[in-house]
Amino acid sequence: MRKLLFSLVLLMLPFMAQAQTAIKFGYLSYQQALKSMPEYAAAQTKLATLKTKYDDEMKRVEDEFNKKYEQFLEGQKDFAPSILQKRQAELQELIAKNIAFKEEAKRLLQQAEVEAYAPLKAKLAEVLRGIGEARGFLFVLNTDNDNLPYVNATAGEDISALVKDCLQ
């Protein structure tokens, strides 16, 4: 059995060597390609403006809460028990609303980010597909986050500059 397996491997070696030389691929930093797009700056500005609006509203709500809390602390010793409980309930309700608003704002900002970058990612995907087909690549790899620590330059091609030119 071992002899048969060894014989098969020996017979396949020329084919495996030929297949290895036929493999071509491209690689690039996906994030750098996105950032090179003219539309990226517009998307960043739009998201920053939206974040500022949410931050301003959160600050306003916090200030409102702080003002009511200070009033509560100042009058706490003079309040009747029922008024004290009512004010405490109001403060707890404000805290709950503030927390809910912050969570909703975070969710909406994440959704806005996905929506803002979707057309850019679609455009980049189309450019990568076109380059891959034109160059005869089997695939294109993303080098971000140290995902590709080594590339054999005879099989892989850095297409960063080509992609950047196509996106301009």
Side-chain angles (χ1 to χ4, degrees):
M1 182 71 173
R2 284 187 177 173
K3 288 182 182 182
L4 178 63
L5 183 61
F6 182 70
S7 298
L8 284 174
V9 169
L10 285 177
L11 287 173
M12 292 178 59
L13 278 176
F15 297 111
M16 291 179 1
Q18 183 181 11
Q20 285 182 340
T21 58
I23 294 176
K24 286 178 51 180
F25 62 91
Y27 58 92
L28 78 156
S29 167
Y30 193 86
Q31 286 300 318
Q32 290 301 316
L34 272 179
K35 290 176 182 178
S36 74
M37 299 174 78
E39 301 94 337
Y40 184 82
Q44 285 286 99
T45 302
K46 180 181 173 184
L47 289 171
T49 301
L50 185 59
K51 184 178 182 327
T52 299
K53 288 178 182 178
Y54 279 117
D55 288 344
D56 290 347
E57 181 61 16
M58 282 189 251
K59 175 79 170 117
R60 186 195 68 76
V61 169
E62 280 181 24
D63 290 344
E64 178 184 334
F65 173 79
N66 289 337
K67 183 180 175 184
K68 287 190 176 194
Y69 186 65
E70 286 174 11
Q71 290 172 350
F72 171 77
L73 290 177
E74 288 172 3
Q76 181 176 354
K77 60 183 174 221
D78 299 329
F79 292 146
S82 61
I83 295 174
L84 184 65
Q85 288 175 345
K86 178 184 173 275
R87 296 276 177 101
Q88 285 175 334
E90 287 175 359
L91 289 172
Q92 288 173 343
E93 184 179 333
L94 273 176
I95 290 172
K97 285 181 180 180
N98 290 354
I99 291 170
F101 176 74
K102 285 180 182 181
E103 290 173 0
E104 181 67 5
K106 184 179 178 182
R107 186 190 68 76
L108 290 172
L109 282 170
Q110 288 173 341
Q111 180 182 344
E113 185 175 343
V114 168
E115 291 171 1
Y117 293 135
L120 280 73
K121 289 181 178 183
K123 182 178 179 181
L124 179 55
E126 185 61 29
V127 166
L128 291 175
R129 186 191 57 75
I131 290 171
E133 288 177 358
R135 299 280 180 141
F137 295 148
L138 292 177
F139 48 86
V140 175
L141 296 171
N142 181 2
T143 61
D144 291 340
N145 301 322
D146 297 328
N147 287 331
L148 190 62
Y150 169 76
V151 176
N152 184 331
T154 59
E157 179 182 345
D158 185 353
I159 59 172
S160 299
L162 182 61
V163 169
K164 189 175 181 178
D165 290 343
C166 289
L167 292 172
Q168 301 300 322

